[in-house]
Amino acid sequence: MEKLKLIVAIAGHGLGERMCHALEGAGCAACFHLSGQGTAKAAWMEYLGLTDTRRDVLLAPCAEGKTKDALAALQVAMGEARYFAVTVPFSSIAGRDTYDLLAKGGNAHG
């Protein structure tokens, strides 16, 4: 079974669908789109171009071998828009049953 990574991508409000289409198109099995709100120090917000405190947050489990392509597709799709994206080894944040379920492509309802 191939290892999974979790892609976490954050951008300004309204950019989530664009990010989701890019990640799913690059082979991520699913994309969970969440709304967030928060602030950071003003200097960081200005540096990132995030003056609105509303955010779109995406969580996308992806096979380790596809993460490089997924991040590249995200970069192309976002163009000049500012965003933040990282990958985290999924095994460090998910229980074994959840990990197995996502790695095999199943769902909780059979």
Side-chain angles (χ1 to χ4, degrees), residues 57-95:
V57 179
L58 289 149
L59 305 174
C62 193
E64 185 175 39
K66 294 181 181 180
T67 55
K68 187 175 181 178
D69 291 339
L71 291 174
L74 184 61
Q75 186 174 13
V76 169
M78 294 303 286
E80 294 295 318
R82 295 177 186 241
Y83 70 98
F84 176 78
V86 296
T87 61
V88 179
F90 207 87
S91 60
S92 66
I93 58 174

